[in-house]
Structures are given as structure tokens and as C-alpha cells.
């Protein structure tokens, strides 16, 4: 090939460089916009910049427009990393991760969602995650959704303390690289943080029938008392004695 012959590979690489530069410049521009957001959001009031409802809208839009060769999970991971990094830029936080029997999968789940700028702290049991979030100003927690755990860790949620804020995976798909079911917990995030699905603790002696819309996330029975962590669309209590423990945006249907 002499100098006059166009080289298609060079042309394509030039195109890739143009796209990479545009993406990098846009990310830097995003950083400048976040600087303006910090000034108006007053995150210092709650200690956390995390807004799970907003993130759910953003992830849904990514999933809706996604097409082509790039796997959706890669786009999801890139944006989760961008969003978590900018959350951390606004107000530094640690992600407390339950690392019991599925420690490696939980570590993957955490890194998939927050990248590497957010520090992780591992805890052997879910109760320790809840304690660590309670003792912090704006830390988040990640607890694996085990249907029959050793103890009712959710008893420590609710009130002014940590609550359920998000459910993972949010964009489930066959072969997804971070598909361990888990709940994200945080201390209350202030007004305006409504959720599509509410989460409750329901105690009964074994014969309470919950409606068909109620999903049992986990349950423990001790001394004849059944203690179930349940989720229900909307905000209405699933049973008269149900205790509110937060809520989350409805994850997408599996692709
Ligand atoms: O929209 C906000 O409130 C933001 O703080 C911005 C942003 C983002 O980077 O897009 C970061 C954190 C929130 O969880 C949601 C979104």
C-alpha cells in the first residue's frame, strides 16, 4: 500500500478516536454540571446525594434506547459507575457490603454498581451492614436477598434508621454478570424520595394470608412466630400489623 492509498483501518480508528474524545469531553462537562448541582442540592442536610428514584428513571431510559453490539449490562455498568462516582463526589460515602457465603458475588455486585471510586467495607452478616449504615451520616449498605436467612436482619430497619432504598438487579437479563439479588439500604434521604414498591415486616403465627400482589422477599420463623420481609406495589400496608421498612423502584422485567 503506498501513501496515496486510503487505509480503511486508519479511517475507522480516526472515527473511534473522534467518538472517544467526544465521550470524554461530555463526561468532563457532566462533572462541571455536577458542580452546579452541589450548590443547589444541599446534600449536607441528609449527608447523602443518593437519589434512587432518579437513578431508576435514568437506567430505564438507557435500557429503552439500547441497541447494537455493546451489551446492555456494559452500558448499565458504565452509567452506574458514572452516577455512583458523581454521588461520591457530592458527598463521600462508604458502601457496606454483606459478604457472607456469597462474598465474591456480592463484591462483584458492589463493584458493578459503584465502580472503584467508592470505598467498600465487608461485613460477615447483614445485621452488621445495617449497624454500620445506622452509625454513619450518609453511607449505603448492600444486603443479599436470601429467602431463608439465619436471622431477621430487617428488624433493625425502619423508623428514623436505615431503610430499603433500591432492589438489585435492576435490569435483570439472562447471563447478567452481576445478578445476585440484593437490597440497597440507606438512612432516610429526605422529602421527595417516594418509591413504587413498599417494603414491610409482617409478623404472624403462621396463618396470615397475604394478597396475591405481595411478594415474600425473605422469612424467618422463631418460636412459632413467622417474621416475613415483604414487598407490595404502592404504599398500602399488606397487613394491619405490618411495619414500614422503605421501598424501591420496580426493577425491569427480565430481558
Ligand atoms: O440528580 C441528582 O440528584 C444527582 O445527584 C445526580 C446523579 C447523577 O450523577 O446523575 C447522582 C446521584 C443521584 O443518585 C442521582 C443522579
Amino acid at each position: 500500500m503506498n501513501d496515496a492509498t486510503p487505509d480503511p483501518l486508519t479511517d475507522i480508528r480516526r472515527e473511534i478516536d473522534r467518538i472517544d474524545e467526544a465521550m470524554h469531553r461530555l463526561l468532563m462537562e457532566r462533572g462541571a454540571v455536577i458542580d452546579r448541582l452541589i450548590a443547589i442540592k444541599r446534600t449536607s442536610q441528609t449527608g447523602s446525594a443518593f437519589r434512587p428514584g432518579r437513578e431508576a428513571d435514568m437506567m430505564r431510559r438507557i435500557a429503552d434506547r439500547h441497541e447494537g453490539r455493546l451489551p446492555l449490562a456494559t452500558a448499565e455498568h458504565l452509567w452506574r459507575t458514572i452516577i455512583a462516582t458523581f454521588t461520591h463526589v457530592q458527598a463521600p460515602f462508604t458502601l457496606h457490603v454483606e459478604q457472607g457465603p456469597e462474598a465474591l458475588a456480592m463484591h462483584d455486585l458492589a463493584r458493578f454498581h459503584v465502580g472503584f471510586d467508592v470505598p467498600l467495607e465487608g461485613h460477615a452478616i447483614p445485621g452488621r451492614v445495617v449497624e454500620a449504615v445506622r452509625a454513619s451520616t450518609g453511607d449505603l449498605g448492600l444486603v443479599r436477598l436470601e429467602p431463608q436467612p439465619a436471622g431477621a436482619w430487617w428488624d433493625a430497619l425502619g423508623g428514623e434508621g436505615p431503610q430499603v432504598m433500591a432492589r438489585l438487579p435492576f435490569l435483570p437479563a439472562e447471563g447478567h454478570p452481576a445478578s445476585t439479588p440484593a437490597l440497597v439500604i440507606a438512612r432516610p434521604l429526605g422529602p421527595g424520595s417516594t418509591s413504587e414498591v413498599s417494603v414491610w415486616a409482617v409478623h404472624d403465627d403462621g396463618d396470615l394470608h397475604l394478597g396475591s400482589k405481595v411478594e415474600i422477599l425473605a422469612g424467618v420463623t422463631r418460636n412459632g412466630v413467622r417474621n416475613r420481609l415483604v414487598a407490595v406495589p404502592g404504599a398500602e400496608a399488606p397487613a394491619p400489623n405490618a411495619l414500614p421498612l422503605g421501598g424501591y423502584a420496580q426493577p425491569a422485567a427480565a430481558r
Side-chain angles (χ1 to χ4, degrees), residues 41 43-51 87 91 137-140 186 189:
K41 202 164 140 186
T43 293
S44 54
Q45 282 176 5
T46 58
S48 175
F50 180 46
R51 296 294 179 272
T87 310
T137 312
D139 287 358
L140 303 183
L189 297 169

Side-chain angles (χ1 to χ4, degrees), residues 30 34 37 41 49-52 54-55 58 82-83 86-87 90:
R30 196 185 200 279
I34 293 288
L37 185 94
K41 202 164 140 186
F50 180 46
R51 296 294 179 272
R54 165 75 179 147
E55 293 191 15
M58 296 165 84
I82 291 166
I83 294 168
F86 282 124
T87 310
Q90 293 179 63

Side-chain angles (χ1 to χ4, degrees), residues 39-239:
I40 59 161
K41 202 164 140 186
R42 291 198 224 123
T43 293
S44 54
Q45 282 176 5
T46 58
S48 175
F50 180 46
R51 296 294 179 272
R54 165 75 179 147
E55 293 191 15
D57 288 346
M58 296 165 84
M59 300 315 294
R60 282 179 187 140
R61 268 184 282 131
I62 288 172
D64 285 349
R65 73 175 162 249
H66 193 78
E67 57 183 19
R69 188 169 283 277
L70 182 76
L72 172 59
T74 304
E76 182 189 9
H77 170 54
L78 287 170
W79 259 275
R80 286 291 191 189
T81 300
I82 291 166
I83 294 168
T85 303
F86 282 124
T87 310
H88 191 255
V89 161
Q90 293 179 63
F93 68 97
T94 293
L95 178 61
H96 298 276
V97 185
E98 184 255 288
Q99 294 198 286
E102 300 288 337
L104 190 57
M106 288 299 287
H107 193 265
D108 277 356
L109 186 72
R111 287 294 183 217
F112 182 90
H113 284 89
V114 300
F116 285 85
D117 274 310
V118 175
L120 303 186
E121 204 174 306
H123 302 269
I125 54 169
R128 291 274 156 77
V129 173
V130 180
E131 273 173 36
V133 172
R134 181 187 297 281
S136 77
T137 312
D139 287 358
L140 303 183
L142 193 59
V143 177
R144 192 167 57 93
L145 257 186
E146 158 68 50
Q148 291 174 311
W153 58 268
W154 53 90
D155 279 349
L157 300 177
E160 296 296 298
Q163 301 182 357
V164 174
M165 295 290 174
R167 182 174 181 179
L168 303 177
F170 189 69
L171 299 177
E174 180 94 16
H176 193 286
S179 55
T180 306
L183 294 175
V184 177
I185 64 163
R187 292 182 57 187
L189 297 169
S193 43
T194 53
S195 35
E196 297 158 352
V197 179
S198 53
V199 176
W200 306 80
V202 179
H203 297 78
D204 69 300
D205 58 10
D207 60 4
L208 178 68
H209 176 73
L210 296 168
S212 59
K213 287 189 178 154
V214 177
E215 183 187 2
I216 315 292
L217 302 175
V220 168
T221 302
R222 289 273 178 282
N223 305 322
V225 176
R226 195 164 55 166
N227 180 352
R228 289 180 289 179
L229 179 69
V230 308
V232 56
E236 207 171 309

